[in-house]
Amino acid sequence: LTRSSGEGRSERPVIAIHAGAGDHGAELRGHEDECHAALLEALESARTALDQGLDATHAVQAAIVVMENFELFNAGRGATLCSDGAVEMSAALMRGSDRAAGAVAVVHHTENPILGARAVLDSPQVLVVGVPADELAAQAGVPQLPNEHFITERQRERLRDAAAELDRATVGAVCLDGEGLLAAGTSTGGIRGQPPGRVGDCPVIGAGTWADGHAAISCTGDGEAFIRCTAARHVAALVERGASVDAAAAQALQLVAELKFTGGLIAVDGEGNVALPYITSVMPRGLWRAGREPTTWVL
Amino acid sequence: LTRSSGEGRSERPVIAIHAGAGDHGAELRGHEDECHAALLEALESARTALDQGLDATHAVQAAIVVMENFELFNAGRGATLCSDGAVEMSAALMRGSDRAAGAVAVVHHTENPILGARAVLDSPQVLVVGVPADELAAQAGVPQLPNEHFITERQRERLRDAAAELDRATVGAVCLDGEGLLAAGTSTGGIRGQPPGRVGDCPVIGAGTWADGHAAISCTGDGEAFIRCTAARHVAALVERGASVDAAAAQALQLVAELKFTGGLIAVDGEGNVALPYITSVMPRGLWRAGREPTTWVL
């Protein structure tokens, strides 16, 4: 079952967001209105960035900051806990025009990890992990907070509840801006109960996050499988060779499914075509295009 | 300038190794015999693994262990130093048949980081970083040593010598075994003087290391550029679509060159065709095919 809520070609700019593919529909059902509101706020924040003349990378990071700050999504405050009870976060940001990229992994203190990824994108590095990643974010002015700030009682309970569904949701955004620039970003707390030090696909450029001149992609799901498929890069490669973004996204998820794993992704191509497919039961998501009203889906 | 020392199709097994693309020819010139001997020992060690009935992944890791232990190559003991004077190491190993992969980054104590990558490949994870990566390797029986073990006086001097050429060499191996299984592995100390926490392409699956049913690739050079090109995955994708491994490898290095960076790679396809191109001035390397004598090149 691949679901999609994409629409055909349209005016730019276009912004699409996701808050993680999973099977946590029962939990989301109790918070539907809050989730719609958070998704809408993320879209509005991205739109405001574009209205201010900022580019697609800034729109992507603006949307992700809102979702990181929303406690019910698995990134920033409220992220899933590692097996030792701490929060470890990763994020990545990529600009399509020159494939400049920045990613952080295993950060513990950076209030908004996507802004840490931004700091790396603006540095000579592409991937910085651990304490130095927090320090680089701090030097770029991103507030640093105790790890306890990110830990919510809800996630403490879920870590204790071995029967809870596997949490591996993530947040992400892709954008085609008014100048035709593509960008993608992703941010996550990883998988609930993961061993400390485990890094998924989110900060692995080409796996969970990718943008080039043809498409921008952000993935969510079983990160190890997305790495083994270079899933995000695969979508862009197929689009480059003439596939529709819908067909390319479906094919990438098919590769993940063949490995007996699951997830979803969002993708936008250089003409503004969007695909938002997932092979889990739910993937909260949102879409805004120039000249239309923003739309959000939770269940 | 793209050089290659590949040869046409041949019998399997085939093992190719590299000890890093760079512009450090002047330094290598003083140690040519030692380097030839180390490369030859790495090929022989891989061949012994195959003779014992082990598969391509074990041949790759056997070759890399020898190169990690050789002080003049940039991996394991003798690796380049970070700006703070410590050694931080990364390694990755990937099996082509099922695209199982394992990688470690920012390990400080694991005697042979490629064996840490092996431990991750054998775990549910794909990428583990920092202290937990050392711990996982230790649990798998890989000896742990003080970071001082990895620091050589030669590298201390090079860190002090701002005029020395940029060090960013890496070691790697690819293999097509007698059963037709492809595997790739890479191990590195990163770039001399890099900030702590910086991670290059080596442990980024699809960037510095990749193996699938079509080809196995290990890269070396300016890691950030290889990540931004998903260089290793790109070679395999081109081979899958019918390109020769020579043409595919050259095209991947062309992408790196277009970003104004440099490096080299080794690749083998499912028929045993090998490419060993580099766009730097030197890349020590070796090749062994069934029924032939092993060959090594230093300058």
Side-chain angles (χ1 to χ4, degrees):
Chain A
L1 174 67
T2 298
R3 299 152 191 255
S4 187
S5 47
E7 302 164 32
R9 179 172 175 171
S10 171
E11 294 304 300
R12 61 195 192 196
V14 183
I15 302 158
I17 60 175
H18 72 78
D23 300 305
H24 52 309
E27 197 200 355
L28 290 173
R29 210 172 301 278
H31 302 279
E32 228 182 313
D33 290 348
E34 291 162 85
C35 291
H36 274 295
L39 292 167
L40 192 62
E41 186 188 341
L43 288 174
E44 297 287 359
S45 183
R47 185 177 174 172
T48 299
L50 294 175
D51 285 346
Q52 290 170 346
L54 296 168
D55 74 12
T57 63
H58 288 91
V60 162
Q61 76 189 46
I64 291 176
V65 162
V66 171
M67 293 188 284
E68 285 176 338
N69 291 346
F70 182 62
E71 291 186 18
L72 296 181
F73 294 158
N74 176 23
R77 176 164 162 79
T80 52
L81 308 185
C82 291
S83 58
D84 65 356
V87 165
E88 290 189 354
M89 300 168 288
S90 297
L93 182 65
M94 189 164 188
R95 178 168 61 211
S97 54
D98 58 353
R99 282 176 282 139
V104 293
V106 198
V107 293
H108 287 85
H109 301 294
T110 299
E111 182 171 23
N112 290 105
I114 192 67
L115 301 182
R118 171 91 226 177
V120 177
L121 187 150
D122 291 335
S123 82
Q125 281 78 49
V126 166
L127 175 56
V128 181
V129 307
V131 173
D134 278 321
E135 290 172 351
L136 192 149
Q139 282 163 17
V142 187
Q144 301 291 300
L145 296 164
N147 199 249
E148 291 70 33
H149 160 81
F150 300 94
I151 300 172
T152 58
E153 188 50 39
R154 168 175 165 271
Q155 291 292 359
R156 279 217 180 89
E157 281 168 18
R158 292 180 69 78
L159 187 61
R160 282 190 294 261
D161 179 10
E165 305 102 2
L166 184 67
D167 287 316
R168 46 171 158 46
T170 289
V171 306
V174 296
C175 180
L176 172 70
D177 70 18
E179 308 298 314
L181 178 68
L182 289 157
T186 314
S187 182
T188 191
I191 299 175
R192 178 166 50 82
Q194 72 183 8
R198 176 262 180 189
V199 174
D201 61 320
C202 162
V204 174
I205 297 299
T209 308
W210 180 261
D212 59 20
H214 304 281
I217 300 96
S218 171
C219 300
T220 164
D222 295 310
E224 280 74 10
F226 282 79
I227 295 175
R228 291 165 58 197
C229 296
T230 50
R233 175 73 183 89
H234 190 62
V235 173
L238 292 173
V239 169
E240 180 176 357
R241 286 154 54 195
S244 73
V245 70
D246 266 325
Q251 190 173 323
L253 290 186
Q254 178 62 28
L255 290 179
V256 170
E258 285 168 10
L259 293 177
K260 311 292 182 200
F261 288 96
T262 189
L265 63 84
I266 58 176
V268 59
D269 69 16
E271 298 186 332
N273 300 298
V274 170
L276 311 166
Y278 54 105
I279 53 174
T280 51
S281 57
V282 294
M283 184 176 81
R285 59 206 185 281
L287 178 65
W288 174 73
R289 296 174 183 283
R292 299 203 198 170
E293 288 302 305
T295 310
T296 60
W297 299 261
V298 173
L299 291 169
Chain B
L1 174 65
T2 297
R3 298 151 190 255
S4 187
S5 46
E7 302 165 32
R9 180 173 173 168
S10 171
E11 293 306 299
R12 60 194 193 196
V14 183
I15 301 158
I17 60 174
H18 71 79
D23 300 304
H24 51 308
E27 196 197 356
L28 290 173
R29 210 171 301 276
H31 303 278
E32 225 180 317
D33 290 347
E34 291 163 84
C35 291
H36 274 296
L39 292 167
L40 191 62
E41 186 188 343
L43 289 173
E44 297 286 359
S45 183
R47 185 176 173 172
T48 299
L50 294 175
D51 285 345
Q52 291 171 344
L54 297 169
D55 73 13
T57 63
H58 289 91
V60 162
Q61 75 187 47
I64 291 176
V65 162
V66 170
M67 292 189 283
E68 285 176 339
N69 291 345
F70 183 62
E71 291 185 19
L72 295 181
F73 294 156
N74 175 24
R77 177 165 162 78
T80 51
L81 308 185
C82 292
S83 58
D84 65 357
V87 165
E88 291 189 352
M89 299 169 287
S90 298
L93 183 65
M94 190 165 187
R95 178 168 63 213
S97 53
D98 58 354
R99 281 175 283 139
V104 294
V106 197
V107 293
H108 288 84
H109 302 294
T110 298
E111 182 172 21
N112 290 107
I114 192 68
L115 300 182
R118 171 92 225 175
V120 177
L121 186 151
D122 291 335
S123 82
Q125 281 78 51
V126 167
L127 175 57
V128 181
V129 306
V131 173
D134 279 322
E135 290 173 350
L136 191 149
Q139 282 164 17
V142 186
Q144 301 291 301
L145 297 164
N147 199 249
E148 292 68 35
H149 160 81
F150 301 94
I151 300 172
T152 57
E153 187 50 40
R154 169 177 164 269
Q155 291 292 359
R156 278 218 181 86
E157 281 168 17
R158 291 181 70 79
L159 186 62
R160 283 190 293 261
D161 179 8
E165 306 100 1
L166 184 66
D167 287 315
R168 45 171 159 48
T170 289
V171 306
V174 296
C175 179
L176 172 71
D177 69 20
E179 308 298 314
L181 178 69
L182 289 158
T186 314
S187 181
T188 190
I191 299 174
R192 178 168 49 82
Q194 72 182 10
R198 177 262 181 190
V199 175
D201 61 320
C202 162
V204 175
I205 298 299
T209 308
W210 180 261
D212 59 21
H214 305 279
I217 300 97
S218 171
C219 300
T220 164
D222 295 310
E224 281 73 10
F226 282 79
I227 295 175
R228 292 166 56 199
C229 297
T230 50
R233 175 71 183 92
H234 190 63
V235 173
L238 292 173
V239 169
E240 180 176 356
R241 286 155 53 194
S244 72
V245 70
D246 266 325
Q251 189 174 325
L253 290 185
Q254 179 61 30
L255 289 180
V256 170
E258 285 169 9
L259 292 177
K260 312 291 180 201
F261 289 96
T262 189
L265 62 84
I266 58 175
V268 60
D269 68 16
E271 299 187 331
N273 299 299
V274 170
L276 310 166
Y278 53 105
I279 52 174
T280 51
S281 58
V282 293
M283 183 176 81
R285 59 207 184 280
L287 178 65
W288 174 73
R289 297 175 182 281
R292 300 204 196 169
E293 288 303 304
T295 312
T296 59
W297 299 261
V298 173
L299 292 169

